[in-house]
Amino acid sequence: MPVRNNKVFMACLYILVFFLLAEWLTPVVVLTNTGHRPLFLIFIAVALLMAFLKVPWWISGTVKILYILWFIVYVYTGAVFFTGESLSFLWEDSRQNFQALASQNWAQTTDVFRTLLFFTLLWMAVYLIHYWVNYRLSIFLFYLLTVVFIAVLDTFSPYAGNTAIIRIMVIGLLLAGLLHLARWTESHRIVLQMEKLAVFIVPLFAMIAASAAMALYLPKADPVWPDPVPFITSLSGQGGSGDGSGTASVGRIGYGVDDTQLGGSFIGDSTPVFRAEVESGQYWKIESKDTYTTKGWISAGNVGESIVYSNGQTVNTGFSPGTPEEAETALLAMDQDFPFVLYPYGTESFVTEQPLNYQYNTAIQRFETFRGGEVVEPDVYEVTFSEPSYSLTALRNTTMEDLARLPAEFDRYRQLPAELPQRVRDLAEEITESSTSVYDKTRAIESYFSNNGFEYSNTDIPVPAENQDYVDQFLFETKRGYCDNYSTSMVVLLRAIDIPARWVKGFNQGEELNTNDGLTVYQVTNNNAHSWVEAYMPGVGWMLFEPTIGFTGSASVDFDLEIDPTEPADSEMPDSPQPEMQEETEGDSTAAGQSGPSPGERVLLFIKENLGKLIWSLIGVGTLILLLYRYRQKWMPKLLIPYYRIRGGGSSSFEKAYLRLLKQLDLYGIRRAEGQTLRSYASYVDSFFGTKDMSRLTTAYEQALYGGEAENVKWVELQESWENLINLTSG
Amino acid sequence: MEAKDQLNKVIDNIEKVIIGKRDIAELSIVAMLSQGHVLLEDVPGVGKTMLVRALAKSVGADFKRIQFTPDLLPSDVIGISIYNPKDMEFHFRPGPIMGNIVLADEINRTSPKTQSSLLEAMEEASVTIDGVTMQIPQPFFVMATQNPIEYEGTYPLPEAQLDRFLLKVKMGYPTPKEEMEVLARVQAVAPIEELQSVIELEELIKLQQQVKTVKVDETIRNYIVELARKTRTDSYVYLGVSPRGSIALMRACQSYALLKGRDFVTPDDVQYLAKFVFGHRIMLRSEARYDGITAEEITARILAKTRVPVQRLVGQ
């Protein structure tokens, strides 16, 4: 009995396959925010089980289709069983999708359709892997793909595959080991009973377990090679210089005052700024700016008023605090001193040991600290605040008409430079076309960045050229950048459709250090310098928005009751890119670099600067070539067959084709000994494949070569035999 | 009629008498077509004589037999001039060598003098007595047998003379099944008596000419030379294959190709015939005998190590 008929053995394989497929599903579900993971897993399990039990295709197909339909009904209507209502839902939905497809109106297809597609994909994946395991007894390709898939996601997406990669290694090695054993016994026609199989399987398990455990617990050295990711991402983006101008400059991250010239790359700086002891991480606001200059931000002068608050006095930040029950206190200990205080959303009062005056500037919403008329930089202070909450109903009721009735003091939050390209305005219209309320339009702009090919990066970001708009460059040319790009763009887009908005600077929550007594200590460094957006909802007030990708929190808001916009952003994955800056562009921007060194020197300089990248790409290309060479047996036939078809007849074609076939057979593993004649080799090949093609070809070849009667060979008649063998050897 | 069919008819005919020795019959035909001679090495009673007689009858040839004994003289082989007192002249009485197909039985039992007279006749296809050269009628084919060297009372053939045989073949015992078949056939009547000729002598001579037209590609010639050269450099070999051996191999291959219905020689022909052509032409050092290595094994080893030509020579 061959191994593949051994039920226990095969069951083990299918269980391992299930876990491997689950590893595929997990990141997809996490990244696309898809729910109901267990139900998808059940689908995979059922499909694999039926494949394992060799259920006839019409039964298994029916079961799977029924399951998919049930899933749709259950998830979209909530009905546990097929009721008349749910069936009419299915009918209605499929009609709608069919119409959308027929009219090629892809955007009109519903979520149900996408769910269906996802299931189809899972179905195909299960079928394929079943085929590989059951018929080919080989998993390597799929295994490799899984590792690459998870590694790429781990590197380039917020998904953290730290433990997934270990699980995959273990599952994959087990599968590969078991399948190798199966192939080995079959190729040697060895029949093993379960106990004999165990002799091989138990050491395999033990060895993999031991090596995995060792790998897990041994100390890990830091990487020897520089991180190649920034290099790879810079290749895929259009960083560098937009329009051949706007030389990239490099700054250092941190809070700065001057925002007149945004853009350029920056490097990280983990110098501590302050520590915050607070229940949950907050966005710490410093100030906002209102005037966009096509290059950056300035503050309009001579507007607003200054209000002075004393220690512990209730302040008015324009954000009404949430309920008193939720009020909490944060303790900030500064490492760097600023002549102002940082404050979270919903701030009620500030307290320091030594009394201070807090002068609040309504134009820029900054609390400057004074004592007795002199500027002071407080070391430690306490902020009492309660996170604001918004009624979704009220937000949904905001209309564009309300905006028109806003007083003139909001005009500066709708300011836009006259030079702003029209296409930016058009884009704003296009994004918000389908939304009605002000809130929905704002959300539409906020989420626009996360699914239109934008990517987060702090390297290789250009500074806009002389006559180039910073937002326009980001939205239409580079599509890569950091928080300044996203927040500025969102403000400009909002203003383009007359929604008042302002650009806010501060720090994000920072890194958790430790937790005690319900309070968490967050370390905020220069890396946490951040910028975001506040927009005005008529009738509701100012509200925080977070367009920067990597800070995706606000997307998963529960739309049911009341919404707290700060919370999602704060509680999101602590591992997400910790960006941000606001750089003092003290970097080596070197203005332009036009009147530069000679071409030769530039090449040398380029090589010197990019030595790491060059080495990496050389290694990459080398590996690729090696792989192509190693697996030439697999892909070359695909080229050979059309090549010799096009080449057509002629005896020289035949002789070349025959010699090519010999090489191909050699690669396939059927070696011809040095002293073996073609005739005996041919009969071996034919007995191996169960064909007569090789003998047929060899007779003709002998006649051509030894008989010198090449012209009598009819290549056209032999071509079929030849292609048949080439195909057999590439399988 | 195709050469292949004609030759197969002969072989089929021989097979009526000699059971299970088709390969030996084929090799005999190969030697005959190449105008060469065969040395059969085997113990008595395995059907050597029967084979030759069957072959002779099948081609309608004149069959002669010489039993070699220690006291046989050259004149007993090639013939003698006898003085006739009536006309006072010497008359030539041809010896048994003057036949188409000659069986020289137990050739290593006679003295070297007699052996060499036979071998000279074989090589020249003529005999010279008292200054008169007489052609031996064509086709002329000698099948000599010899007992394995280890037997007592033999005169081993010198190397130079072994070279004159195109092939050396071992006949071997029949399998039990074949032997039973042999018994069944001879029970009633000796089948050899009923054998008819299936081909004319003239046709045989024509086939001998046709052999020379079988194509030997340059790659094959190269291959043969390569094989011969390797026998000369092998560490176990004292004397390797001479150029005459190379020629013999090529000729034999041509005949074999014709027999198989081809008009060109393939490496398979070379590989098949090499051990029969080279076997008696390779003189081994005594180390080989200690190590139990035979000339056939050396040939096989060289065949395995020599690259078979599978594509045109460069520049062709």
Coordinates of all heavy atoms in Angstrom, one line a residue, chain A residues 522-592:
Chain A
Y522 N 4.3 56.7 29.2 CA 4.7 56.7 27.8 C 5.9 57.6 27.7 O 6.0 58.6 28.2 CB 3.6 57.3 27.0 CG 2.4 56.4 26.9 CD1 1.3 56.5 27.8 CD2 2.2 55.6 25.8 CE1 0.2 55.7 27.7 CE2 1.1 54.7 25.7 CZ 0.1 54.8 26.6 OH -1.0 54.0 26.5
Q523 N 6.9 57.0 27.0 CA 8.0 57.8 26.6 C 7.8 58.5 25.3 O 7.6 57.8 24.3 CB 9.3 56.9 26.6 CG 10.6 57.7 26.2 CD 11.0 58.7 27.2 OE1 11.4 58.3 28.3 NE2 11.0 59.9 26.9
V524 N 7.8 59.8 25.2 CA 7.7 60.5 23.9 C 9.0 61.0 23.5 O 9.7 61.7 24.3 CB 6.6 61.6 24.1 CG1 6.5 62.3 22.7 CG2 5.3 61.0 24.5
T525 N 9.4 60.7 22.3 CA 10.7 61.2 21.8 C 10.5 62.1 20.6 O 9.4 62.3 20.1 CB 11.6 60.0 21.4 OG1 11.1 59.4 20.3 CG2 11.8 59.0 22.6
N526 N 11.6 62.6 20.1 CA 11.5 63.4 18.9 C 10.9 62.6 17.7 O 10.3 63.2 16.9 CB 12.9 63.8 18.4 CG 13.3 65.1 19.1 OD1 12.5 65.9 19.6 ND2 14.6 65.4 19.3
N527 N 11.0 61.3 17.8 CA 10.4 60.5 16.7 C 8.9 60.6 16.8 O 8.2 60.2 15.8 CB 10.8 59.0 16.9 CG 12.2 58.7 16.5 OD1 12.7 59.4 15.6 ND2 12.8 57.7 17.0
N528 N 8.3 61.0 17.9 CA 6.9 61.0 18.0 C 6.3 62.4 17.6 O 5.1 62.6 17.7 CB 6.5 60.7 19.4 CG 6.9 59.3 19.8 OD1 7.7 59.1 20.7 ND2 6.3 58.3 19.2
A529 N 7.2 63.3 17.2 CA 6.7 64.6 16.7 C 5.7 64.3 15.5 O 6.0 63.4 14.7 CB 7.8 65.5 16.2
H530 N 4.6 65.0 15.5 CA 3.5 64.6 14.6 C 2.7 65.8 14.2 O 2.8 66.8 14.8 CB 2.6 63.5 15.3 CG 1.7 62.8 14.4 ND1 2.0 62.5 13.2 CD2 0.4 62.4 14.7 CE1 1.0 61.8 12.6 NE2 0.0 61.8 13.5
S531 N 2.0 65.6 13.1 CA 1.1 66.7 12.7 C -0.2 66.0 12.2 O -0.2 64.9 11.7 CB 1.7 67.5 11.6 OG 1.9 66.8 10.4
W532 N -1.3 66.6 12.5 CA -2.6 66.0 12.1 C -3.6 67.1 11.8 O -3.2 68.3 11.5 CB -3.1 65.1 13.2 CG -3.3 65.7 14.5 CD1 -4.5 66.2 15.0 CD2 -2.4 65.8 15.6 NE1 -4.3 66.6 16.3 CE2 -3.0 66.4 16.7 CE3 -1.0 65.4 15.7 CZ2 -2.4 66.6 17.9 CZ3 -0.4 65.7 16.9 CH2 -1.0 66.3 18.0
V533 N -4.9 66.8 11.7 CA -5.9 67.7 11.2 C -7.0 67.9 12.2 O -7.4 67.0 12.8 CB -6.4 67.1 9.9 CG1 -7.5 68.0 9.3 CG2 -5.3 66.9 8.8
E534 N -7.4 69.2 12.2 CA -8.7 69.4 12.9 C -9.6 70.1 11.9 O -9.2 71.0 11.1 CB -8.5 70.4 14.1 CG -7.8 69.7 15.3 CD -7.5 70.7 16.4 OE1 -7.9 71.9 16.3 OE2 -6.9 70.2 17.4
A535 N -10.9 69.6 11.9 CA -11.9 70.2 11.0 C -13.1 70.6 11.8 O -13.4 70.0 12.8 CB -12.3 69.1 9.9
Y536 N -13.8 71.6 11.2 CA -14.9 72.1 12.0 C -16.2 71.5 11.4 O -16.5 71.6 10.2 CB -15.0 73.6 11.8 CG -16.0 74.2 12.8 CD1 -15.7 74.4 14.1 CD2 -17.2 74.6 12.3 CE1 -16.6 74.9 15.0 CE2 -18.2 75.1 13.1 CZ -17.9 75.3 14.5 OH -18.8 75.8 15.3
M537 N -17.0 70.9 12.4 CA -18.2 70.3 12.0 C -19.3 71.3 12.4 O -19.5 71.5 13.6 CB -18.5 69.0 12.7 CG -17.4 67.9 12.4 SD -17.5 67.3 10.7 CE -15.9 67.8 10.1
P538 N -20.0 71.9 11.5 CA -21.0 72.9 11.9 C -22.0 72.3 12.9 O -22.6 71.3 12.7 CB -21.7 73.3 10.6 CG -21.3 72.3 9.6 CD -20.0 71.6 10.1
G539 N -22.2 73.1 14.0 CA -23.2 72.6 15.0 C -22.6 71.7 16.0 O -23.2 71.3 17.0
V540 N -21.4 71.1 15.7 CA -20.7 70.2 16.6 C -19.5 70.7 17.2 O -19.2 70.7 18.4 CB -20.5 68.8 15.9 CG1 -19.8 67.9 16.8 CG2 -21.7 68.2 15.3
G541 N -18.6 71.3 16.3 CA -17.4 71.8 16.8 C -16.2 71.3 16.1 O -16.3 70.6 15.1
W542 N -15.0 71.6 16.6 CA -13.8 71.1 16.0 C -13.6 69.6 16.4 O -14.0 69.2 17.4 CB -12.6 71.9 16.5 CG -12.5 73.3 16.0 CD1 -13.0 74.4 16.6 CD2 -12.0 73.6 14.7 NE1 -12.8 75.5 15.8 CE2 -12.2 75.0 14.6 CE3 -11.5 73.0 13.6 CZ2 -11.8 75.8 13.5 CZ3 -11.1 73.7 12.5 CH2 -11.3 75.1 12.4
M543 N -13.0 68.9 15.4 CA -12.8 67.5 15.6 C -11.5 67.0 15.0 O -11.0 67.6 14.0 CB -13.9 66.8 14.8 CG -14.4 65.5 15.4 SD -15.8 64.9 14.5 CE -15.5 63.2 14.6
L544 N -10.9 66.0 15.7 CA -9.6 65.6 15.2 C -9.7 64.5 14.1 O -10.6 63.7 14.1 CB -8.8 64.9 16.4 CG -7.5 64.2 16.1 CD1 -6.7 64.3 17.4 CD2 -7.7 62.8 15.8
F545 N -8.9 64.7 13.1 CA -8.8 63.6 12.0 C -7.4 63.2 11.8 O -6.5 64.0 11.9 CB -9.5 64.2 10.7 CG -10.9 64.3 10.9 CD1 -11.5 65.5 11.2 CD2 -11.8 63.3 10.6 CE1 -12.9 65.7 11.4 CE2 -13.2 63.4 10.7 CZ -13.7 64.6 11.1
E546 N -7.3 62.0 11.4 CA -5.9 61.4 11.3 C -5.8 60.8 9.9 O -6.1 59.7 9.6 CB -5.7 60.3 12.3 CG -4.4 59.6 12.2 CD -3.2 60.5 12.2 OE1 -2.7 60.9 13.3 OE2 -2.7 61.0 11.2
P547 N -5.3 61.5 8.9 CA -5.2 61.0 7.5 C -3.9 60.1 7.3 O -3.8 59.4 6.3 CB -5.1 62.2 6.7 CG -4.5 63.3 7.5 CD -4.9 62.9 9.0
T548 N -2.9 60.3 8.2 CA -1.6 59.6 7.9 C -1.8 58.1 8.0 O -2.3 57.6 9.0 CB -0.6 60.1 8.9 OG1 -0.6 61.5 9.0 CG2 0.8 59.6 8.5
I549 N -1.3 57.4 6.9 CA -1.5 56.0 6.9 C -0.4 55.4 7.9 O 0.6 55.9 8.1 CB -1.4 55.3 5.5 CG1 -0.1 55.7 4.8 CG2 -2.6 55.6 4.7 CD1 0.1 55.0 3.5
G550 N -0.8 54.3 8.5 CA 0.0 53.8 9.6 C -0.6 54.2 10.9 O -0.5 53.5 11.9
F551 N -1.4 55.2 10.8 CA -2.2 55.7 12.0 C -3.7 55.5 11.6 O -4.4 56.4 11.4 CB -1.9 57.1 12.3 CG -0.5 57.4 12.7 CD1 0.5 57.4 11.7 CD2 -0.1 57.6 14.0 CE1 1.8 57.7 12.0 CE2 1.2 57.9 14.3 CZ 2.1 57.9 13.3
T552 N -4.1 54.2 11.4 CA -5.3 54.0 10.8 C -6.5 53.9 11.7 O -7.6 53.6 11.3 CB -5.2 52.6 10.1 OG1 -4.8 51.6 11.0 CG2 -4.3 52.6 8.9
G553 N -6.3 54.2 12.9 CA -7.4 54.0 13.9 C -8.7 54.5 13.6 O -9.7 53.8 13.7
S554 N -8.8 55.7 13.1 CA -10.2 56.3 12.9 C -11.0 55.5 11.9 O -12.2 55.7 11.8 CB -10.1 57.7 12.6 OG -9.2 57.9 11.5
A555 N -10.4 54.6 11.1 CA -11.2 53.9 10.1 C -12.1 52.9 10.8 O -13.2 52.6 10.2 CB -10.2 53.2 9.2
S556 N -11.7 52.3 11.9 CA -12.5 51.2 12.4 C -13.5 51.7 13.5 O -13.7 51.0 14.5 CB -11.6 50.1 13.0 OG -10.9 50.7 14.1
V557 N -14.0 52.9 13.3 CA -15.0 53.4 14.3 C -16.3 52.7 14.2 O -16.8 52.3 13.1 CB -15.2 54.9 14.0 CG1 -16.4 55.4 14.7 CG2 -14.0 55.7 14.4
D558 N -16.8 52.4 15.3 CA -18.2 51.8 15.4 C -19.2 53.0 15.2 O -19.2 53.9 15.9 CB -18.4 51.1 16.7 CG -19.7 50.4 16.7 OD1 -20.7 50.9 16.2 OD2 -19.7 49.3 17.3
F559 N -20.0 52.8 14.1 CA -20.8 53.9 13.8 C -22.1 54.0 14.5 O -23.0 54.7 14.1 CB -21.1 53.8 12.3 CG -19.9 54.3 11.4 CD1 -18.9 53.5 11.1 CD2 -19.9 55.6 11.0 CE1 -17.8 53.9 10.4 CE2 -18.8 56.1 10.3 CZ -17.8 55.2 10.0
D560 N -22.2 53.2 15.5 CA -23.6 53.1 16.1 C -24.0 54.3 16.9 O -25.0 55.0 16.7 CB -23.7 51.9 17.0 CG -24.0 50.7 16.1 OD1 -24.5 50.9 15.0 OD2 -23.7 49.5 16.5
L561 N -23.3 54.6 18.0 CA -23.8 55.7 18.9 C -22.9 56.9 18.9 O -23.0 57.8 18.1 CB -23.9 55.0 20.3 CG -25.0 54.0 20.5 CD1 -24.9 53.2 21.7 CD2 -26.4 54.8 20.4
E562 N -22.1 56.9 19.9 CA -21.3 58.1 20.1 C -19.9 57.7 19.7 O -19.5 56.6 19.8 CB -21.3 58.5 21.6 CG -22.7 58.7 22.1 CD -23.1 60.2 22.1 OE1 -22.4 60.9 22.9 OE2 -23.9 60.6 21.4
I563 N -19.2 58.7 19.3 CA -17.9 58.4 18.8 C -16.9 59.3 19.4 O -17.1 60.4 19.7 CB -17.9 58.6 17.2 CG1 -16.5 58.8 16.7 CG2 -18.7 59.8 16.9 CD1 -16.4 58.9 15.3
D564 N -15.8 58.6 19.7 CA -14.7 59.4 20.3 C -13.5 59.3 19.4 O -12.8 58.3 19.3 CB -14.3 58.7 21.6 CG -13.2 59.4 22.3 OD1 -12.7 60.3 21.7 OD2 -12.9 59.1 23.5
P565 N -13.3 60.4 18.7 CA -12.3 60.3 17.6 C -10.9 60.1 18.1 O -10.0 59.7 17.3 CB -12.5 61.6 16.9 CG -13.1 62.5 17.9 CD -13.9 61.7 18.8
T566 N -10.6 60.6 19.3 CA -9.1 60.4 19.6 C -8.8 59.0 20.0 O -7.7 58.6 19.7 CB -8.8 61.3 20.8 OG1 -9.7 60.9 21.9 CG2 -9.0 62.8 20.5
E567 N -9.7 58.3 20.5 CA -9.4 57.0 21.1 C -8.8 56.0 20.1 O -7.8 55.5 20.3 CB -10.7 56.5 21.7 CG -10.9 55.1 21.7 CD -10.7 54.4 23.0 OE1 -11.6 54.3 23.7 OE2 -9.6 53.9 23.2
P568 N -9.5 55.9 18.9 CA -8.9 54.8 18.0 C -7.5 55.1 17.6 O -6.7 54.2 17.6 CB -9.9 54.9 16.8 CG -11.1 55.7 17.2 CD -10.6 56.6 18.3
A569 N -7.2 56.4 17.3 CA -5.9 56.7 16.9 C -4.9 56.3 17.9 O -3.8 55.9 17.6 CB -5.8 58.2 16.5
D570 N -5.3 56.5 19.2 CA -4.4 56.3 20.3 C -4.1 54.9 20.6 O -3.0 54.5 20.9 CB -4.9 57.0 21.5 CG -4.8 58.5 21.4 OD1 -4.2 58.9 20.4 OD2 -5.2 59.2 22.2
S571 N -5.2 54.1 20.5 CA -5.0 52.7 21.0 C -4.6 51.8 19.9 O -4.5 50.6 20.1 CB -6.4 52.3 21.6 OG -7.4 52.4 20.6
E572 N -4.4 52.4 18.7 CA -3.9 51.5 17.6 C -2.6 50.8 17.9 O -1.8 51.3 18.8 CB -3.9 52.3 16.3 CG -5.1 52.0 15.4 CD -5.4 50.6 15.2 OE1 -4.6 49.9 14.6 OE2 -6.5 50.2 15.7
M573 N -2.3 49.9 17.1 CA -1.1 49.1 17.2 C 0.2 50.0 17.6 O 0.5 50.9 16.9 CB -0.8 48.5 15.8 CG -1.9 47.7 15.3 SD -1.8 47.5 13.5 CE -2.7 48.9 12.9
P574 N 0.8 49.6 18.7 CA 1.9 50.4 19.1 C 3.1 50.1 18.1 O 4.0 50.9 18.1 CB 2.2 49.8 20.5 CG 1.5 48.5 20.6 CD 0.4 48.6 19.6
D575 N 3.0 49.1 17.3 CA 4.2 48.8 16.5 C 4.1 49.5 15.1 O 5.0 49.4 14.3 CB 4.2 47.3 16.2 CG 5.0 46.6 17.2 OD1 5.6 47.3 18.0 OD2 5.0 45.4 17.3
S576 N 3.0 50.3 14.9 CA 2.9 50.9 13.6 C 4.0 52.0 13.5 O 4.6 52.3 14.5 CB 1.6 51.6 13.5 OG 1.4 52.6 14.6
P577 N 4.3 52.4 12.3 CA 5.5 53.3 12.1 C 5.4 54.4 13.1 O 4.3 55.0 13.3 CB 5.3 53.8 10.7 CG 4.3 52.8 10.1 CD 3.6 52.1 11.1
Q578 N 6.4 54.7 13.8 CA 6.4 55.7 14.8 C 7.0 57.0 14.2 O 8.2 57.3 14.5 CB 7.3 55.3 16.0 CG 6.6 54.2 16.7 CD 5.6 54.7 17.7 OE1 5.7 55.7 18.3 NE2 4.5 53.9 17.8
P579 N 6.4 57.6 13.4 CA 7.0 58.7 12.7 C 7.1 60.0 13.4 O 6.7 60.0 14.5 CB 6.1 58.8 11.5 CG 4.8 58.4 12.0 CD 5.0 57.5 13.2
E580 N 7.6 60.8 12.8 CA 7.2 62.1 12.7 C 8.0 63.2 13.2 O 8.7 63.1 14.2 CB 5.8 62.3 13.3 CG 5.1 62.5 12.1 CD 5.9 62.7 10.9 OE1 6.8 63.6 10.9 OE2 5.8 62.0 10.0
M581 N 7.7 64.1 12.6 CA 8.7 65.2 12.6 C 8.1 66.5 12.3 O 6.9 66.6 12.2 CB 9.7 64.9 11.6 CG 9.0 64.6 10.4 SD 7.7 65.6 9.9 CE 6.5 65.3 10.9
Q582 N 8.8 67.2 11.9 CA 8.6 68.6 11.8 C 10.0 69.0 12.0 O 10.5 69.1 13.0 CB 7.8 69.1 13.1 CG 7.3 70.4 12.9 CD 7.2 70.6 11.4 OE1 7.0 69.7 10.6 NE2 7.4 71.8 11.0
E583 N 10.6 69.0 10.8 CA 12.1 69.1 11.0 C 12.6 70.5 10.9 O 12.0 71.4 10.3 CB 12.7 68.2 9.9 CG 12.6 68.8 8.5 CD 11.2 68.7 8.0 OE1 10.7 67.6 7.9 OE2 10.6 69.7 7.7
E584 N 13.6 70.8 11.6 CA 14.4 72.0 11.4 C 15.2 71.6 10.1 O 16.0 70.7 10.2 CB 15.4 72.2 12.5 CG 14.9 71.9 13.8 CD 14.1 73.1 14.4 OE1 13.5 73.8 13.6 OE2 14.2 73.3 15.6
T585 N 15.0 72.2 9.1 CA 15.7 71.8 7.9 C 17.1 72.2 7.9 O 17.6 73.0 7.1 CB 15.0 72.2 6.6 OG1 13.9 72.9 6.9 CG2 14.6 71.0 5.8
E586 N 17.8 71.7 8.9 CA 19.2 72.0 9.0 C 20.0 71.0 8.2 O 21.2 71.0 8.1 CB 19.7 71.9 10.5 CG 19.8 70.5 10.9 CD 19.4 70.3 12.4 OE1 18.6 71.1 12.9 OE2 19.9 69.4 13.0
G587 N 19.2 70.1 7.5 CA 19.8 69.0 6.8 C 20.7 69.5 5.7 O 20.8 70.6 5.3
D588 N 21.3 68.5 5.1 CA 22.3 68.8 4.0 C 21.5 68.9 2.7 O 21.7 68.1 1.8 CB 23.3 67.7 3.9 CG 22.7 66.3 4.1 OD1 21.5 66.2 4.0 OD2 23.5 65.4 4.4
S589 N 20.7 69.8 2.6 CA 19.8 69.9 1.4 C 20.7 70.4 0.2 O 20.3 70.2 -0.9 CB 18.7 70.8 1.6 OG 19.1 72.1 2.1
T590 N 21.8 71.0 0.5 CA 22.7 71.5 -0.6 C 21.9 72.1 -1.8 O 22.2 71.8 -2.9 CB 23.6 70.4 -1.2 OG1 22.7 69.3 -1.6 CG2 24.5 69.9 -0.1
A591 N 20.9 72.9 -1.4 CA 20.2 73.8 -2.3 C 19.8 73.1 -3.6 O 18.6 72.8 -3.8 CB 21.0 75.0 -2.6
A592 N 20.6 72.8 -4.5 CA 20.2 72.2 -5.7 C 21.2 71.2 -6.2 O 20.8 70.1 -6.6 CB 20.0 73.3 -6.8

